[in-house]
Amino acid sequence: MGLVNVQENGNTEMGLPLGAKNKYTRMDSQPTHDDDGFDEDYDASQHYHQMERRNTTRKYVFACSVFASLNSVLLGYDVGVMSGAIIFIQEDLKITEVQEEILVGILSVMSLVGSLVGGRTSDSIGRKWTMGLAAIVFQTGAAIMTFAPSFKVLMIGRILAGVGIGFGVMIAPVYIAEISPTVARGSLTSFPEIFINFGILLGYVSNYAFAGLSAHTNWRIMLAIGILPSVFIAFALCIIPESPRWLVMQNRVDEARMVLLKTNENESEVEERLAEIQLAAGFSNGEKHEEKAVWRELLSPSPALFRMLIAGFGIQCFQQITGIDATVYYSPEILKSAGIEDKTKLLAATVAVGVTKTVFILIAIFLIDRAGRKPLLYASTIGMTICLFSLGASLTFLGDGSVGITMAILSICGNVAFFSVGIGPVCWVLTSEIFPLRVRAQASALGAVGNRVCSGFVAMSFLSVSRAITVGGTFFIFSAISALSVAFVHKCVPETKGKSLEEIELLFQDGYELRGSEVQLGDVEHLVQKK
């Protein structure tokens, strides 16, 4: 696939937009009217129509991305609210420390079931309705947890909520990547991570707001509030379209064309984009070629697909084994070990962590399609390594004085800030865009499984490990793992900024850099010849 496209419809030439600023134009694309005034009016009208369509399209895709990300609020809220609710659950239900770890970590462990099933489900019923199924399962679990009279019933609700979250975390980035224009795909695909952070912040605020109620009531209200987003999700499903790439896979090409007309700024590119999607899906003249079953292909991958799996699965695992869930779930415990004892002050400090996490994810949205994925990953992993080491040092050597508390809070806020500006959102962007269409949903699900397994492992072992080697020692380990993630990014993760989903496949092919150089040189020669 070339890096530039020659259009036959007269609207563009070699991927460059026509207009006064472009000196490479097609002679047959110029107006043939004799009246210069009429030509100017015609050009102005066309320009106005194009700008109006561009604004309408951007608003539509933005709205679809927001609605598709609502499930992520549920995950974020659960993560945030449980960090404070667990204090009162422990007091109300008299659970042990081991039960506390299991209760916190089981959500991540069970979400891998949802992620595994979610890939196949989204290929069967569509991306859109898989998001609806995720919301239904999660809300059922949240309702059970709200009225749970015992630890066992609470665990049943937690397991259902985990399965629902597993569906949601793998499908939202895939859906958004498949409807987004190339130029904004990174920013839009980061929306689920924004909503996770927003949900975490809401959870922290909920903890602080209801902490004054009785221990039997406050944690139930905290968990019950997580049911509210279901109303908005039901509304969203009535508005957003199905993914055009999934529609092509179902041979519903006309419906896919209609969606592309709504999500592409330039009408003339729709047919070309549709042809690319059909080719990527294995269609030719409307008929699907025979191919290996998806899971067989994933278990016995080609060299290119193997590199994709290493990059996608690896970045998902590093996102979690660097300890972000330990920092978020157990921030009250960490701050308590730094010397803060008052529960209200502990919960107030976690709100500061949530605000920091949310602010910096917004910064990432503005940078991801400008600076690129890889520079953000470098900044993120290096910054996290420093902050995690600083947190370990402050907890180990500074004690529980005011200096130690200040350093601990700054280190935690710095860690979540660097996480949110890079590996937090970028990991989901990468796994939604690097895989070929025919395996995208299930390969992304596999990455989400790695993410959830690592999250569950960290959440379910943090208290035990910190008791064995101290909280500070645990963060020294996280710091070392974060340093390894820097090397992984350098070696295994390519830059995907500005490339279509179909072009990204070439990044993992043998000899791509050589072919890419040749294509670019050929394009330059072609431009010279067109003078």
Side-chain angles (χ1 to χ4, degrees):
M1 183 182 298
L3 298 184
V4 292
N5 299 312
V6 179
Q7 305 282 342
E8 296 180 355
N9 51 38
N11 290 324
T12 56
E13 174 68 353
M14 299 175 62
L16 301 172
L18 294 182
K21 294 182 180 180
N22 179 22
K23 62 183 178 180
Y24 305 110
T25 59
R26 289 174 60 113
M27 293 301 295
D28 59 3
S29 68
Q30 304 304 309
T32 57
H33 307 293
D34 294 330
D35 189 332
D36 291 339
F38 182 78
D39 290 343
E40 291 176 3
D41 291 341
Y42 177 81
D43 289 343
S45 176
Q46 287 293 97
H47 177 72
Y48 175 78
H49 175 73
Q50 184 175 355
M51 291 301 295
E52 188 176 19
R53 174 183 172 81
R54 178 178 299 175
N55 291 334
T56 302
T57 300
R58 288 179 178 178
K59 290 177 182 177
Y60 181 74
V61 175
F62 179 87
C64 290
S65 301
V66 168
F67 286 138
S69 303
L70 289 176
N71 266 321
S72 300
V73 176
L74 305 178
L75 170 59
Y77 183 81
D78 185 273
V79 170
V81 80
M82 189 54 73
S83 68
I86 193 68
I87 298 173
F88 304 105
I89 292 173
Q90 192 174 33
E91 182 180 341
D92 183 31
L93 300 183
K94 311 301 181 186
I95 62 175
T96 66
E97 187 176 276
V98 173
Q99 288 176 319
E100 179 183 347
E101 283 185 315
I102 293 173
L103 183 64
V104 170
I106 196 66
L107 182 128
S108 295
V109 173
M110 292 310 301
S111 65
L112 73 88
V113 176
S115 294
L116 275 174
V117 177
R120 184 63 178 269
T121 303
S122 68
D123 281 343
S124 299
I125 67 174
R127 312 323 194 201
K128 172 180 173 178
W129 296 110
T130 301
M131 288 187 280
L133 180 61
I136 292 171
V137 176
F138 178 88
Q139 302 303 344
T140 303
I144 292 174
M145 286 192 291
T146 299
F147 298 102
S150 65
F151 176 76
K152 291 181 179 179
V153 177
L154 188 63
M155 282 292 294
I156 293 172
R158 192 83 171 147
I159 288 170
L160 283 175
V163 173
I165 282 175
F167 277 110
V169 296
M170 63 77 45
I171 195 56
V174 171
Y175 173 83
I176 296 172
E178 292 185 346
I179 67 165
S180 301
T182 298
V183 68
R185 188 180 60 245
S187 297
L188 294 174
T189 310
S190 301
F191 276 23
E193 187 68 20
I194 292 181
F195 279 72
I196 288 175
N197 283 271
F198 181 63
I200 289 172
L201 178 58
L202 288 179
Y204 285 157
V205 171
S206 178
N207 287 338
Y208 185 73
F210 298 109
L213 300 177
S214 69
H216 179 72
T217 304
N218 55 13
W219 66 268
R220 298 178 189 277
I221 296 177
M222 293 174 187
L223 296 179
I225 290 176
I227 300 174
L228 297 179
S230 61
V231 177
F232 299 101
I233 293 171
F235 173 74
L237 292 176
C238 299
I239 295 178
I240 63 175
E242 184 52 84
S243 160
R245 287 168 170 85
W246 181 81
L247 291 170
V248 168
M249 290 173 66
Q250 304 302 308
N251 207 15
R252 294 158 60 178
V253 178
D254 290 338
E255 294 177 58
R257 182 182 291 108
M258 293 300 295
V259 176
L260 288 171
L261 283 169
K262 293 181 180 179
T263 57
N264 276 265
E265 295 179 4
N266 194 335
E267 290 184 39
S268 63
E269 295 178 357
V270 169
E271 291 302 324
E272 180 187 2
R273 181 64 59 205
L274 186 61
E276 286 182 356
I277 295 171
Q278 286 179 291
L279 182 62
F283 281 81
S284 179
N285 298 323
E287 295 182 2
K288 194 172 184 181
H289 296 303
E290 289 187 16
E291 56 183 338
K292 294 188 293 183
V294 171
W295 279 110
R296 192 181 307 167
E297 188 171 358
L298 291 175
L299 293 173
S300 182
S302 64
L305 182 57
F306 181 74
R307 295 185 191 104
M308 295 174 191
L309 290 170
I310 291 295
F313 191 80
I315 199 69
Q316 288 278 13
C317 291
F318 272 114
Q319 190 209 50
Q320 290 299 325
I321 58 176
T322 47
I324 188 62
D325 273 6
T327 304
V328 174
Y329 272 127
Y330 296 108
S331 51
E333 296 283 343
I334 298 167
L335 293 170
K336 188 184 294 183
S337 68
I340 302 177
E341 295 293 339
D342 184 78
K343 288 182 181 179
T344 303
K345 291 180 179 179
L346 282 174
L347 296 177
T350 62
V351 173
V353 175
V355 170
T356 303
K357 206 170 186 298
T358 304
V359 168
F360 277 86
I361 188 66
L362 294 175
I363 293 174
I365 299 309
F366 290 106
L367 294 178
I368 194 167
D369 281 318
R370 293 173 174 82
R373 284 58 156 160
K374 202 158 183 175
L376 289 184
L377 283 175
Y378 278 134
S380 176
T381 50
I382 292 171
M384 287 170 60
T385 301
I386 295 171
C387 290
L388 288 167
F389 185 86
S390 173
L391 180 57
S394 64
L395 293 174
T396 303
F397 302 115
L398 295 182
D400 56 2
S402 59
V403 175
I405 292 173
T406 301
M407 282 298 299
I409 293 175
L410 289 176
S411 297
I412 292 173
C413 289
N415 182 49
V416 298
F418 279 113
F419 176 89
S420 293
V421 86
I423 197 169
V426 172
C427 123
W428 295 106
V429 173
L430 280 172
T431 51
S432 68
E433 66 185 5
I434 63 175
F435 296 111
L437 176 58
R438 64 187 178 277
V439 301
R440 183 173 299 141
Q442 297 193 46
S444 297
L446 195 61
V449 167
N451 182 284
R452 296 293 86 200
V453 168
C454 292
S455 172
F457 175 76
V458 169
M460 296 178 76
S461 63
F462 177 77
L463 290 179
S464 299
V465 173
S466 62
R467 295 291 182 272
I469 64 172
T470 73
V471 177
T474 305
F475 279 97
F476 281 133
I477 294 176
F478 287 144
S479 176
I481 295 172
S482 184
L484 289 177
S485 72
V486 180
F488 177 84
V489 168
H490 176 72
K491 183 69 176 176
C492 301
V493 178
E495 180 56 74
T496 59
K497 182 187 75 169
K499 295 177 174 61
S500 72
L501 295 178
E502 288 68 37
E503 287 174 331
I504 289 172
E505 292 185 42
L506 294 176
L507 294 173
F508 295 89
Q509 301 292 335
D510 291 320
Y512 167 75
E513 294 182 359
L514 176 62
R515 290 202 309 275
S517 300
E518 291 171 348
V519 171
Q520 291 174 7
L521 179 60
D523 293 337
V524 173
E525 292 173 347
H526 190 50
L527 283 173
V528 172
Q529 292 171 3
K530 297 294 284 187
K531 282 185 178 181

